[in-house]
Amino acid sequence: MKVTGAASPFLPLCQRLFPTKLAGLSVALLKATALEIAILAGHLLLYPSGITQERRTAPPLPSPDVAAKLPTEEKPPVVLLHGFIDNRSVFLLLRRNLAQHGRQHIESLNYSPLTCDIRTAAELLGRHIEEICERTGHERVDIVGHSLGGLIARYYVQCLGGDTHVRTLVTLGTPHSGTRVAPVMNAHPIVRQMRPGSAVIEELTGPAPGCRTQFVSFWSDLDHLMDPLETACVEHPDLLAQNVRVSGVGHLALPVHPAVATGIRQALDLEEPGARTTARTGGLTVA
C-alpha cells in the first residue's frame, strides 16, 4: 500500500543541486509540508463544526430483507478520538471512508480543550465506551486515536482495564514513549505528561500481562511533532502491537490521507487469532 502523488516539477532541479538521497528527502519534505499546510487550512474551516458533541442515537434496525443479507456477526462500533487542541471535525474524511466500507456504527468523541490530565481523560473515555457498549449491544469496540487521543485510549486500555471493552486500538502519530518537541509548551500540564520520562509515560512502560487489546500504531517518517520519530511506535513486551511506517505525509495528514485510511480499515479488519500470531514480526509499510 503506497501513498503516492504527482511528480514535482522541481525534482530535476533538486537532483542537480543536491545528492540523490538528499534530493529525495528534500522533495518529500516539501511535498509533505505543502500537504500539511493545505490540511491545516481546511481543518481551520471545519473546526467550528466539531466543537459540540455529536448526537448519539442507537443504530437503526435494518429491515428484515436487509438483515437477512447481513453477515451474522456485525462489526464492532468504531470510536474516533482526536488529538491535543482539536475536535471531532478532524475525522470527517476518515469517518466517511469507514462508513462507505461497511462500518455501521461510528462515533467521534470530544474531550474538553481544558483537559489537563491524561488519566482523568482516560477515565471519562471509559465511561463513554461503557455507554456505547450498552447502547449498541456490543461487548467491545474499536478505537482510532490521533496523537494525544491515542495516548488517552492506550492509558484506558492498559492501566484502567479497558482491554475488556476495546478489541483493537489504532493510533496515529501518538507519542507512546513521549515527545521532546516544542519545549515552550511545557507550561501546559498535559504537554508535560507527553514528555519522555513523565509519570504517565512511565506507567505505560509497566507490566501489562494478559492485555487483550491488539494495537496497530501508524507512525510517519516526516512527523514534525514526534521527537524522536520512533516514539510513535508501540514497544512493549506484554502488548500485541504492530507498527506501520508511513512515508511522505506529516502529522496532520495521518487521519486524512486516503491511503492511511485504507491501512486503518485493514487494521480494524484483522482477525484476532491471526493478528496475535503475526503482530510482533509482521508490519505494513505505506511508502
Side-chain angles (χ1 to χ4, degrees), residues 81 143-154 168-176 214-219 231-234 242-244 246 254 260 264 267-268:
L81 197 62
I143 299 179
V144 180
H146 181 222
S147 196
L148 172 61
L151 203 60
I152 292 172
R154 178 178 172 183
T168 300
L169 171 56
V170 176
T171 65
L172 311 172
T174 290
H176 290 285
Q214 54 187 351
F215 293 77
V216 182
S217 177
F218 288 78
W219 66 282
T231 190
C233 297
V234 176
Q242 181 177 7
N243 296 305
V244 183
V246 181
L254 287 170
V260 179
I264 293 170
L268 295 179

PDB file of all heavy atoms in Angstrom, residues 81 143-154 168-176 214-219 231-234 242-244 246 254 260 264 267-268:
ATOM      1  N   LEU A  81     -11.065   9.325  18.368  1.00  0.00           N
ATOM      2  CA  LEU A  81     -10.645  10.230  19.448  1.00  0.00           C
ATOM      3  C   LEU A  81      -9.548  11.155  18.938  1.00  0.00           C
ATOM      4  O   LEU A  81      -8.477  10.703  18.536  1.00  0.00           O
ATOM      5  CB  LEU A  81     -10.151   9.413  20.645  1.00  0.00           C
ATOM      6  CG  LEU A  81     -10.063  10.137  21.986  1.00  0.00           C
ATOM      7  CD1 LEU A  81     -11.429  10.629  22.434  1.00  0.00           C
ATOM      8  CD2 LEU A  81      -9.467   9.214  23.043  1.00  0.00           C
ATOM      9  N   ILE A 143     -11.089   1.440  18.589  1.00  0.00           N
ATOM     10  CA  ILE A 143     -10.777   2.864  18.770  1.00  0.00           C
ATOM     11  C   ILE A 143      -9.701   3.273  17.780  1.00  0.00           C
ATOM     12  O   ILE A 143      -8.724   2.544  17.569  1.00  0.00           O
ATOM     13  CB  ILE A 143     -10.290   3.164  20.205  1.00  0.00           C
ATOM     14  CG1 ILE A 143     -11.376   2.823  21.242  1.00  0.00           C
ATOM     15  CG2 ILE A 143      -9.899   4.637  20.337  1.00  0.00           C
ATOM     16  CD1 ILE A 143     -10.948   3.086  22.682  1.00  0.00           C
ATOM     17  N   VAL A 144      -9.879   4.448  17.174  1.00  0.00           N
ATOM     18  CA  VAL A 144      -8.836   5.096  16.385  1.00  0.00           C
ATOM     19  C   VAL A 144      -8.519   6.407  17.071  1.00  0.00           C
ATOM     20  O   VAL A 144      -9.387   7.280  17.196  1.00  0.00           O
ATOM     21  CB  VAL A 144      -9.272   5.345  14.932  1.00  0.00           C
ATOM     22  CG1 VAL A 144      -8.151   6.033  14.152  1.00  0.00           C
ATOM     23  CG2 VAL A 144      -9.663   4.035  14.247  1.00  0.00           C
ATOM     24  N   GLY A 145      -7.281   6.562  17.539  1.00  0.00           N
ATOM     25  CA  GLY A 145      -6.887   7.766  18.259  1.00  0.00           C
ATOM     26  C   GLY A 145      -5.764   8.489  17.546  1.00  0.00           C
ATOM     27  O   GLY A 145      -4.754   7.880  17.186  1.00  0.00           O
ATOM     28  N   HIS A 146      -5.947   9.789  17.325  1.00  0.00           N
ATOM     29  CA  HIS A 146      -4.910  10.605  16.691  1.00  0.00           C
ATOM     30  C   HIS A 146      -4.111  11.322  17.769  1.00  0.00           C
ATOM     31  O   HIS A 146      -4.681  11.965  18.660  1.00  0.00           O
ATOM     32  CB  HIS A 146      -5.551  11.631  15.753  1.00  0.00           C
ATOM     33  CG  HIS A 146      -4.568  12.510  15.035  1.00  0.00           C
ATOM     34  ND1 HIS A 146      -4.737  13.862  14.863  1.00  0.00           N
ATOM     35  CD2 HIS A 146      -3.375  12.218  14.437  1.00  0.00           C
ATOM     36  CE1 HIS A 146      -3.714  14.363  14.193  1.00  0.00           C
ATOM     37  NE2 HIS A 146      -2.873  13.380  13.931  1.00  0.00           N
ATOM     38  N   SER A 147      -2.787  11.189  17.720  1.00  0.00           N
ATOM     39  CA  SER A 147      -1.882  11.927  18.598  1.00  0.00           C
ATOM     40  C   SER A 147      -2.231  11.682  20.071  1.00  0.00           C
ATOM     41  O   SER A 147      -2.231  10.550  20.536  1.00  0.00           O
ATOM     42  CB  SER A 147      -1.931  13.415  18.234  1.00  0.00           C
ATOM     43  OG  SER A 147      -0.843  14.113  18.774  1.00  0.00           O
ATOM     44  N   LEU A 148      -2.551  12.751  20.819  1.00  0.00           N
ATOM     45  CA  LEU A 148      -2.893  12.609  22.234  1.00  0.00           C
ATOM     46  C   LEU A 148      -4.073  11.669  22.435  1.00  0.00           C
ATOM     47  O   LEU A 148      -4.127  10.938  23.429  1.00  0.00           O
ATOM     48  CB  LEU A 148      -3.209  13.988  22.828  1.00  0.00           C
ATOM     49  CG  LEU A 148      -3.771  14.018  24.247  1.00  0.00           C
ATOM     50  CD1 LEU A 148      -2.796  13.412  25.240  1.00  0.00           C
ATOM     51  CD2 LEU A 148      -4.140  15.449  24.647  1.00  0.00           C
ATOM     52  N   GLY A 149      -5.023  11.662  21.498  1.00  0.00           N
ATOM     53  CA  GLY A 149      -6.164  10.765  21.622  1.00  0.00           C
ATOM     54  C   GLY A 149      -5.745   9.311  21.723  1.00  0.00           C
ATOM     55  O   GLY A 149      -6.348   8.525  22.469  1.00  0.00           O
ATOM     56  N   GLY A 150      -4.707   8.928  20.983  1.00  0.00           N
ATOM     57  CA  GLY A 150      -4.206   7.565  21.068  1.00  0.00           C
ATOM     58  C   GLY A 150      -3.589   7.258  22.416  1.00  0.00           C
ATOM     59  O   GLY A 150      -3.695   6.143  22.929  1.00  0.00           O
ATOM     60  N   LEU A 151      -2.932   8.263  23.010  1.00  0.00           N
ATOM     61  CA  LEU A 151      -2.303   8.066  24.317  1.00  0.00           C
ATOM     62  C   LEU A 151      -3.363   7.926  25.411  1.00  0.00           C
ATOM     63  O   LEU A 151      -3.236   7.092  26.315  1.00  0.00           O
ATOM     64  CB  LEU A 151      -1.369   9.242  24.622  1.00  0.00           C
ATOM     65  CG  LEU A 151      -0.249   8.989  25.636  1.00  0.00           C
ATOM     66  CD1 LEU A 151       0.677   7.877  25.162  1.00  0.00           C
ATOM     67  CD2 LEU A 151       0.539  10.264  25.894  1.00  0.00           C
ATOM     68  N   ILE A 152      -4.419   8.736  25.324  1.00  0.00           N
ATOM     69  CA  ILE A 152      -5.524   8.621  26.275  1.00  0.00           C
ATOM     70  C   ILE A 152      -6.159   7.234  26.174  1.00  0.00           C
ATOM     71  O   ILE A 152      -6.428   6.576  27.188  1.00  0.00           O
ATOM     72  CB  ILE A 152      -6.570   9.720  26.004  1.00  0.00           C
ATOM     73  CG1 ILE A 152      -5.992  11.097  26.351  1.00  0.00           C
ATOM     74  CG2 ILE A 152      -7.854   9.462  26.795  1.00  0.00           C
ATOM     75  CD1 ILE A 152      -6.868  12.257  25.935  1.00  0.00           C
ATOM     76  N   ALA A 153      -6.391   6.786  24.942  1.00  0.00           N
ATOM     77  CA  ALA A 153      -7.005   5.473  24.743  1.00  0.00           C
ATOM     78  C   ALA A 153      -6.094   4.364  25.250  1.00  0.00           C
ATOM     79  O   ALA A 153      -6.561   3.389  25.859  1.00  0.00           O
ATOM     80  CB  ALA A 153      -7.329   5.272  23.269  1.00  0.00           C
ATOM     81  N   ARG A 154      -4.793   4.476  25.010  1.00  0.00           N
ATOM     82  CA  ARG A 154      -3.871   3.440  25.495  1.00  0.00           C
ATOM     83  C   ARG A 154      -3.872   3.389  27.017  1.00  0.00           C
ATOM     84  O   ARG A 154      -3.852   2.296  27.607  1.00  0.00           O
ATOM     85  CB  ARG A 154      -2.461   3.693  24.973  1.00  0.00           C
ATOM     86  CG  ARG A 154      -1.466   2.650  25.502  1.00  0.00           C
ATOM     87  CD  ARG A 154      -0.060   2.830  24.985  1.00  0.00           C
ATOM     88  NE  ARG A 154       0.849   1.924  25.668  1.00  0.00           N
ATOM     89  CZ  ARG A 154       2.169   1.890  25.477  1.00  0.00           C
ATOM     90  NH1 ARG A 154       2.726   2.705  24.575  1.00  0.00           N
ATOM     91  NH2 ARG A 154       2.913   1.043  26.151  1.00  0.00           N
ATOM     92  N   THR A 168      -9.555  -3.542  19.281  1.00  0.00           N
ATOM     93  CA  THR A 168      -8.384  -3.049  18.564  1.00  0.00           C
ATOM     94  C   THR A 168      -8.229  -1.554  18.826  1.00  0.00           C
ATOM     95  O   THR A 168      -9.210  -0.806  18.768  1.00  0.00           O
ATOM     96  CB  THR A 168      -8.528  -3.282  17.049  1.00  0.00           C
ATOM     97  OG1 THR A 168      -8.668  -4.681  16.800  1.00  0.00           O
ATOM     98  CG2 THR A 168      -7.314  -2.757  16.294  1.00  0.00           C
ATOM     99  N   LEU A 169      -7.004  -1.140  19.104  1.00  0.00           N
ATOM    100  CA  LEU A 169      -6.692   0.282  19.241  1.00  0.00           C
ATOM    101  C   LEU A 169      -5.705   0.661  18.147  1.00  0.00           C
ATOM    102  O   LEU A 169      -4.583   0.148  18.097  1.00  0.00           O
ATOM    103  CB  LEU A 169      -6.082   0.583  20.617  1.00  0.00           C
ATOM    104  CG  LEU A 169      -5.516   1.994  20.805  1.00  0.00           C
ATOM    105  CD1 LEU A 169      -6.560   3.067  20.518  1.00  0.00           C
ATOM    106  CD2 LEU A 169      -4.929   2.161  22.214  1.00  0.00           C
ATOM    107  N   VAL A 170      -6.134   1.548  17.248  1.00  0.00           N
ATOM    108  CA  VAL A 170      -5.276   2.079  16.196  1.00  0.00           C
ATOM    109  C   VAL A 170      -4.853   3.477  16.605  1.00  0.00           C
ATOM    110  O   VAL A 170      -5.702   4.331  16.912  1.00  0.00           O
ATOM    111  CB  VAL A 170      -6.018   2.129  14.846  1.00  0.00           C
ATOM    112  CG1 VAL A 170      -5.146   2.780  13.778  1.00  0.00           C
ATOM    113  CG2 VAL A 170      -6.430   0.725  14.406  1.00  0.00           C
ATOM    114  N   THR A 171      -3.557   3.732  16.625  1.00  0.00           N
ATOM    115  CA  THR A 171      -3.067   5.066  16.971  1.00  0.00           C
ATOM    116  C   THR A 171      -2.367   5.691  15.766  1.00  0.00           C
ATOM    117  O   THR A 171      -1.703   5.002  14.995  1.00  0.00           O
ATOM    118  CB  THR A 171      -2.101   5.027  18.178  1.00  0.00           C
ATOM    119  OG1 THR A 171      -0.913   4.292  17.833  1.00  0.00           O
ATOM    120  CG2 THR A 171      -2.771   4.379  19.375  1.00  0.00           C
ATOM    121  N   LEU A 172      -2.526   7.001  15.627  1.00  0.00           N
ATOM    122  CA  LEU A 172      -1.965   7.760  14.506  1.00  0.00           C
ATOM    123  C   LEU A 172      -1.070   8.859  15.053  1.00  0.00           C
ATOM    124  O   LEU A 172      -1.559   9.822  15.661  1.00  0.00           O
ATOM    125  CB  LEU A 172      -3.090   8.386  13.669  1.00  0.00           C
ATOM    126  CG  LEU A 172      -4.246   7.468  13.249  1.00  0.00           C
ATOM    127  CD1 LEU A 172      -5.352   8.292  12.595  1.00  0.00           C
ATOM    128  CD2 LEU A 172      -3.755   6.378  12.314  1.00  0.00           C
ATOM    129  N   GLY A 173       0.230   8.718  14.894  1.00  0.00           N
ATOM    130  CA  GLY A 173       1.145   9.749  15.364  1.00  0.00           C
ATOM    131  C   GLY A 173       1.014  10.011  16.857  1.00  0.00           C
ATOM    132  O   GLY A 173       0.969  11.159  17.291  1.00  0.00           O
ATOM    133  N   THR A 174       0.974   8.952  17.638  1.00  0.00           N
ATOM    134  CA  THR A 174       0.821   9.061  19.096  1.00  0.00           C
ATOM    135  C   THR A 174       2.178   8.921  19.780  1.00  0.00           C
ATOM    136  O   THR A 174       2.914   7.976  19.498  1.00  0.00           O
ATOM    137  CB  THR A 174      -0.135   7.968  19.613  1.00  0.00           C
ATOM    138  OG1 THR A 174      -1.467   8.263  19.169  1.00  0.00           O
ATOM    139  CG2 THR A 174      -0.117   7.878  21.122  1.00  0.00           C
ATOM    140  N   PRO A 175       2.525   9.836  20.689  1.00  0.00           N
ATOM    141  CA  PRO A 175       3.847   9.771  21.353  1.00  0.00           C
ATOM    142  C   PRO A 175       3.873   8.735  22.470  1.00  0.00           C
ATOM    143  O   PRO A 175       3.861   9.069  23.654  1.00  0.00           O
ATOM    144  CB  PRO A 175       4.020  11.189  21.899  1.00  0.00           C
ATOM    145  CG  PRO A 175       2.618  11.661  22.166  1.00  0.00           C
ATOM    146  CD  PRO A 175       1.769  11.033  21.089  1.00  0.00           C
ATOM    147  N   HIS A 176       3.939   7.464  22.102  1.00  0.00           N
ATOM    148  CA  HIS A 176       3.856   6.388  23.085  1.00  0.00           C
ATOM    149  C   HIS A 176       5.007   6.424  24.095  1.00  0.00           C
ATOM    150  O   HIS A 176       4.831   6.014  25.247  1.00  0.00           O
ATOM    151  CB  HIS A 176       3.828   5.034  22.367  1.00  0.00           C
ATOM    152  CG  HIS A 176       2.569   4.776  21.620  1.00  0.00           C
ATOM    153  ND1 HIS A 176       1.385   4.436  22.237  1.00  0.00           N
ATOM    154  CD2 HIS A 176       2.287   4.822  20.283  1.00  0.00           C
ATOM    155  CE1 HIS A 176       0.438   4.273  21.331  1.00  0.00           C
ATOM    156  NE2 HIS A 176       0.954   4.491  20.142  1.00  0.00           N
ATOM    157  N   GLN A 214      -5.516  -5.563  20.824  1.00  0.00           N
ATOM    158  CA  GLN A 214      -4.425  -5.540  19.840  1.00  0.00           C
ATOM    159  C   GLN A 214      -4.192  -4.099  19.398  1.00  0.00           C
ATOM    160  O   GLN A 214      -5.134  -3.343  19.176  1.00  0.00           O
ATOM    161  CB  GLN A 214      -4.733  -6.454  18.662  1.00  0.00           C
ATOM    162  CG  GLN A 214      -6.057  -6.213  17.974  1.00  0.00           C
ATOM    163  CD  GLN A 214      -6.337  -7.287  16.934  1.00  0.00           C
ATOM    164  OE1 GLN A 214      -5.480  -8.109  16.601  1.00  0.00           O
ATOM    165  NE2 GLN A 214      -7.546  -7.295  16.400  1.00  0.00           N
ATOM    166  N   PHE A 215      -2.920  -3.732  19.279  1.00  0.00           N
ATOM    167  CA  PHE A 215      -2.520  -2.367  18.952  1.00  0.00           C
ATOM    168  C   PHE A 215      -1.957  -2.318  17.533  1.00  0.00           C
ATOM    169  O   PHE A 215      -1.162  -3.179  17.151  1.00  0.00           O
ATOM    170  CB  PHE A 215      -1.442  -1.875  19.920  1.00  0.00           C
ATOM    171  CG  PHE A 215      -1.901  -1.698  21.342  1.00  0.00           C
ATOM    172  CD1 PHE A 215      -2.061  -2.802  22.178  1.00  0.00           C
ATOM    173  CD2 PHE A 215      -2.173  -0.436  21.848  1.00  0.00           C
ATOM    174  CE1 PHE A 215      -2.479  -2.641  23.482  1.00  0.00           C
ATOM    175  CE2 PHE A 215      -2.589  -0.274  23.159  1.00  0.00           C
ATOM    176  CZ  PHE A 215      -2.737  -1.379  23.977  1.00  0.00           C
ATOM    177  N   VAL A 216      -2.351  -1.304  16.784  1.00  0.00           N
ATOM    178  CA  VAL A 216      -1.740  -1.024  15.491  1.00  0.00           C
ATOM    179  C   VAL A 216      -1.388   0.461  15.494  1.00  0.00           C
ATOM    180  O   VAL A 216      -2.268   1.317  15.607  1.00  0.00           O
ATOM    181  CB  VAL A 216      -2.672  -1.350  14.309  1.00  0.00           C
ATOM    182  CG1 VAL A 216      -1.957  -1.075  12.987  1.00  0.00           C
ATOM    183  CG2 VAL A 216      -3.137  -2.802  14.375  1.00  0.00           C
ATOM    184  N   SER A 217      -0.100   0.754  15.401  1.00  0.00           N
ATOM    185  CA  SER A 217       0.370   2.135  15.500  1.00  0.00           C
ATOM    186  C   SER A 217       0.921   2.606  14.165  1.00  0.00           C
ATOM    187  O   SER A 217       1.862   2.019  13.628  1.00  0.00           O
ATOM    188  CB  SER A 217       1.456   2.230  16.577  1.00  0.00           C
ATOM    189  OG  SER A 217       1.977   3.546  16.634  1.00  0.00           O
ATOM    190  N   PHE A 218       0.341   3.672  13.622  1.00  0.00           N
ATOM    191  CA  PHE A 218       0.835   4.292  12.396  1.00  0.00           C
ATOM    192  C   PHE A 218       1.768   5.435  12.774  1.00  0.00           C
ATOM    193  O   PHE A 218       1.380   6.342  13.521  1.00  0.00           O
ATOM    194  CB  PHE A 218      -0.327   4.826  11.552  1.00  0.00           C
ATOM    195  CG  PHE A 218      -1.149   3.758  10.891  1.00  0.00           C
ATOM    196  CD1 PHE A 218      -2.087   3.032  11.619  1.00  0.00           C
ATOM    197  CD2 PHE A 218      -0.985   3.467   9.542  1.00  0.00           C
ATOM    198  CE1 PHE A 218      -2.841   2.035  11.021  1.00  0.00           C
ATOM    199  CE2 PHE A 218      -1.739   2.469   8.926  1.00  0.00           C
ATOM    200  CZ  PHE A 218      -2.671   1.755   9.674  1.00  0.00           C
ATOM    201  N   TRP A 219       3.008   5.376  12.261  1.00  0.00           N
ATOM    202  CA  TRP A 219       3.969   6.445  12.536  1.00  0.00           C
ATOM    203  C   TRP A 219       4.570   6.931  11.227  1.00  0.00           C
ATOM    204  O   TRP A 219       4.743   6.170  10.286  1.00  0.00           O
ATOM    205  CB  TRP A 219       5.064   5.970  13.493  1.00  0.00           C
ATOM    206  CG  TRP A 219       5.975   4.912  12.945  1.00  0.00           C
ATOM    207  CD1 TRP A 219       5.720   3.587  12.813  1.00  0.00           C
ATOM    208  CD2 TRP A 219       7.311   5.115  12.459  1.00  0.00           C
ATOM    209  NE1 TRP A 219       6.798   2.935  12.270  1.00  0.00           N
ATOM    210  CE2 TRP A 219       7.797   3.847  12.051  1.00  0.00           C
ATOM    211  CE3 TRP A 219       8.142   6.232  12.354  1.00  0.00           C
ATOM    212  CZ2 TRP A 219       9.064   3.677  11.527  1.00  0.00           C
ATOM    213  CZ3 TRP A 219       9.414   6.055  11.833  1.00  0.00           C
ATOM    214  CH2 TRP A 219       9.862   4.795  11.431  1.00  0.00           C
ATOM    215  N   THR A 231       9.090   7.375  18.556  1.00  0.00           N
ATOM    216  CA  THR A 231       8.263   7.418  19.756  1.00  0.00           C
ATOM    217  C   THR A 231       6.813   7.094  19.449  1.00  0.00           C
ATOM    218  O   THR A 231       6.043   6.732  20.333  1.00  0.00           O
ATOM    219  CB  THR A 231       8.353   8.806  20.432  1.00  0.00           C
ATOM    220  OG1 THR A 231       7.724   8.744  21.726  1.00  0.00           O
ATOM    221  CG2 THR A 231       7.641   9.870  19.608  1.00  0.00           C
ATOM    222  N   ALA A 232       6.427   7.201  18.174  1.00  0.00           N
ATOM    223  CA  ALA A 232       5.056   6.883  17.778  1.00  0.00           C
ATOM    224  C   ALA A 232       4.836   5.387  17.585  1.00  0.00           C
ATOM    225  O   ALA A 232       3.745   4.971  17.191  1.00  0.00           O
ATOM    226  CB  ALA A 232       4.684   7.636  16.498  1.00  0.00           C
ATOM    227  N   CYS A 233       5.861   4.576  17.854  1.00  0.00           N
ATOM    228  CA  CYS A 233       5.723   3.118  17.794  1.00  0.00           C
ATOM    229  C   CYS A 233       5.390   2.568  19.179  1.00  0.00           C
ATOM    230  O   CYS A 233       5.817   3.114  20.196  1.00  0.00           O
ATOM    231  CB  CYS A 233       7.016   2.479  17.303  1.00  0.00           C
ATOM    232  SG  CYS A 233       7.495   2.943  15.628  1.00  0.00           S
ATOM    233  N   VAL A 234       4.617   1.500  19.209  1.00  0.00           N
ATOM    234  CA  VAL A 234       4.327   0.807  20.464  1.00  0.00           C
ATOM    235  C   VAL A 234       5.394  -0.260  20.672  1.00  0.00           C
ATOM    236  O   VAL A 234       5.508  -1.200  19.882  1.00  0.00           O
ATOM    237  CB  VAL A 234       2.934   0.155  20.435  1.00  0.00           C
ATOM    238  CG1 VAL A 234       2.687  -0.637  21.717  1.00  0.00           C
ATOM    239  CG2 VAL A 234       1.850   1.218  20.262  1.00  0.00           C
ATOM    240  N   GLN A 242       1.532  -3.922  16.382  1.00  0.00           N
ATOM    241  CA  GLN A 242       2.070  -3.856  15.027  1.00  0.00           C
ATOM    242  C   GLN A 242       2.292  -2.380  14.706  1.00  0.00           C
ATOM    243  O   GLN A 242       1.393  -1.554  14.885  1.00  0.00           O
ATOM    244  CB  GLN A 242       1.092  -4.474  14.032  1.00  0.00           C
ATOM    245  CG  GLN A 242       1.595  -4.479  12.591  1.00  0.00           C
ATOM    246  CD  GLN A 242       0.604  -5.173  11.659  1.00  0.00           C
ATOM    247  OE1 GLN A 242      -0.499  -5.523  12.065  1.00  0.00           O
ATOM    248  NE2 GLN A 242       0.999  -5.356  10.425  1.00  0.00           N
ATOM    249  N   ASN A 243       3.491  -2.049  14.234  1.00  0.00           N
ATOM    250  CA  ASN A 243       3.828  -0.668  13.903  1.00  0.00           C
ATOM    251  C   ASN A 243       3.909  -0.501  12.391  1.00  0.00           C
ATOM    252  O   ASN A 243       4.588  -1.260  11.709  1.00  0.00           O
ATOM    253  CB  ASN A 243       5.156  -0.269  14.552  1.00  0.00           C
ATOM    254  CG  ASN A 243       5.077  -0.297  16.072  1.00  0.00           C
ATOM    255  OD1 ASN A 243       4.216   0.344  16.665  1.00  0.00           O
ATOM    256  ND2 ASN A 243       5.949  -1.067  16.707  1.00  0.00           N
ATOM    257  N   VAL A 244       3.189   0.502  11.892  1.00  0.00           N
ATOM    258  CA  VAL A 244       3.079   0.725  10.457  1.00  0.00           C
ATOM    259  C   VAL A 244       3.761   2.039  10.103  1.00  0.00           C
ATOM    260  O   VAL A 244       3.351   3.110  10.562  1.00  0.00           O
ATOM    261  CB  VAL A 244       1.600   0.778  10.010  1.00  0.00           C
ATOM    262  CG1 VAL A 244       1.499   0.938   8.502  1.00  0.00           C
ATOM    263  CG2 VAL A 244       0.860  -0.464  10.471  1.00  0.00           C
ATOM    264  N   VAL A 246       4.627   5.104   7.815  1.00  0.00           N
ATOM    265  CA  VAL A 246       4.013   5.883   6.748  1.00  0.00           C
ATOM    266  C   VAL A 246       5.061   6.851   6.212  1.00  0.00           C
ATOM    267  O   VAL A 246       5.645   7.609   6.981  1.00  0.00           O
ATOM    268  CB  VAL A 246       2.797   6.671   7.258  1.00  0.00           C
ATOM    269  CG1 VAL A 246       2.141   7.457   6.131  1.00  0.00           C
ATOM    270  CG2 VAL A 246       1.793   5.743   7.920  1.00  0.00           C
ATOM    271  N   LEU A 254      -2.187  12.251   8.804  1.00  0.00           N
ATOM    272  CA  LEU A 254      -2.428  10.854   9.175  1.00  0.00           C
ATOM    273  C   LEU A 254      -3.910  10.492   9.267  1.00  0.00           C
ATOM    274  O   LEU A 254      -4.312   9.432   8.790  1.00  0.00           O
ATOM    275  CB  LEU A 254      -1.709  10.532  10.490  1.00  0.00           C
ATOM    276  CG  LEU A 254      -0.185  10.400  10.372  1.00  0.00           C
ATOM    277  CD1 LEU A 254       0.457  10.327  11.748  1.00  0.00           C
ATOM    278  CD2 LEU A 254       0.190   9.168   9.551  1.00  0.00           C
ATOM    279  N   VAL A 260      -3.759   6.144   4.102  1.00  0.00           N
ATOM    280  CA  VAL A 260      -3.709   5.800   5.524  1.00  0.00           C
ATOM    281  C   VAL A 260      -5.064   5.243   5.969  1.00  0.00           C
ATOM    282  O   VAL A 260      -5.132   4.289   6.750  1.00  0.00           O
ATOM    283  CB  VAL A 260      -3.317   7.027   6.366  1.00  0.00           C
ATOM    284  CG1 VAL A 260      -3.301   6.677   7.852  1.00  0.00           C
ATOM    285  CG2 VAL A 260      -1.945   7.546   5.937  1.00  0.00           C
ATOM    286  N   ILE A 264      -5.910   1.829   7.920  1.00  0.00           N
ATOM    287  CA  ILE A 264      -6.708   1.758   9.143  1.00  0.00           C
ATOM    288  C   ILE A 264      -7.810   0.714   8.993  1.00  0.00           C
ATOM    289  O   ILE A 264      -8.050  -0.094   9.899  1.00  0.00           O
ATOM    290  CB  ILE A 264      -7.301   3.139   9.473  1.00  0.00           C
ATOM    291  CG1 ILE A 264      -6.170   4.118   9.846  1.00  0.00           C
ATOM    292  CG2 ILE A 264      -8.315   3.037  10.614  1.00  0.00           C
ATOM    293  CD1 ILE A 264      -6.630   5.563   9.966  1.00  0.00           C
ATOM    294  N   ALA A 267      -6.377  -2.645   9.343  1.00  0.00           N
ATOM    295  CA  ALA A 267      -6.037  -2.924  10.742  1.00  0.00           C
ATOM    296  C   ALA A 267      -7.279  -3.305  11.542  1.00  0.00           C
ATOM    297  O   ALA A 267      -7.255  -4.228  12.368  1.00  0.00           O
ATOM    298  CB  ALA A 267      -5.358  -1.709  11.365  1.00  0.00           C
ATOM    299  N   LEU A 268      -8.377  -2.602  11.295  1.00  0.00           N
ATOM    300  CA  LEU A 268      -9.610  -2.890  12.029  1.00  0.00           C
ATOM    301  C   LEU A 268     -10.238  -4.211  11.600  1.00  0.00           C
ATOM    302  O   LEU A 268     -10.994  -4.814  12.369  1.00  0.00           O
ATOM    303  CB  LEU A 268     -10.616  -1.753  11.823  1.00  0.00           C
ATOM    304  CG  LEU A 268     -10.221  -0.387  12.394  1.00  0.00           C
ATOM    305  CD1 LEU A 268     -11.303   0.648  12.098  1.00  0.00           C
ATOM    306  CD2 LEU A 268      -9.965  -0.473  13.894  1.00  0.00           C
TER     307      LEU A 268
END
